[in-house]
Amino acid sequence: MEREFDLTVLNGPADHAKLQTVIETLRQSAQYAILEALTDIRFPYPPESEIKLVDWPKGRVFAPAFELRWEKNGGNFRSVLAHDAGFSWPAVEISTSFTPDSELRNAFFGWEKQLLYLWPENDMRLGRKLRYECLERQRDDNRKNVQLEARLYRDAHGRLIFWRYREMRWTT
């Protein structure tokens, strides 16, 4: 388990309009997205995809340096931005929409990398095909599986206190 703390966690805007502005700004720097609705899940390439909160009440846009996640909770949203030390704000005006989450830093002990396998695109158990659009530029017909890299942050007792997604890739 690595012990260097390289993560900043910020609570984001709850307001629909402010969060939509943040998503529009950060999606230009994101490489991956996971968007969820009650009956659908998508994996678009964020810089080329419109992401509307009205269609996607839960989601994430991320890259190795950051992850923005949101989920609708009643009439508002809960949003969190997690970023590494190398992250730079693409627009200063959106940085004022966030407040630090100081509890996490005090509880942090270490982190570990975890690799998760996602559903194959053509697995019929889902009842429909998935399409990993954010990985189209890396498509390799010899590789059928998608791997999601997450970083898990734990406290001194080994309890999971936070996780964030870093990247996705094709694998065999």
Side-chain angles (χ1 to χ4, degrees), residues 73-87:
N73 185 6
N76 288 321
F77 287 85
R78 165 96 167 103
S79 64
V80 174
L81 175 68
H83 67 78
D84 294 348
F87 175 78

Side-chain angles (χ1 to χ4, degrees), residues 135-150:
L135 297 177
E136 278 302 314
R137 288 175 173 79
Q138 305 167 18
R139 184 168 288 280
D140 179 345
D141 290 335
N142 296 323
R143 298 177 178 208
K144 305 285 186 220
N145 296 309
V146 174
Q147 198 175 60
L148 174 64
E149 180 184 322

Side-chain angles (χ1 to χ4, degrees), residues 83-103:
H83 67 78
D84 294 348
F87 175 78
S88 60
W89 292 96
V92 175
E93 58 272 9
I94 67 164
S95 67
T96 61
S97 299
F98 293 89
T99 58
D101 184 336
S102 58
E103 291 181 27

Side-chain angles (χ1 to χ4, degrees), residues 147-161:
Q147 198 175 60
L148 174 64
E149 180 184 322
R151 190 170 281 182
L152 309 179
Y153 295 86
R154 300 191 181 275
D155 68 9
H157 301 284
R159 295 177 296 219
L160 182 65
I161 56 174

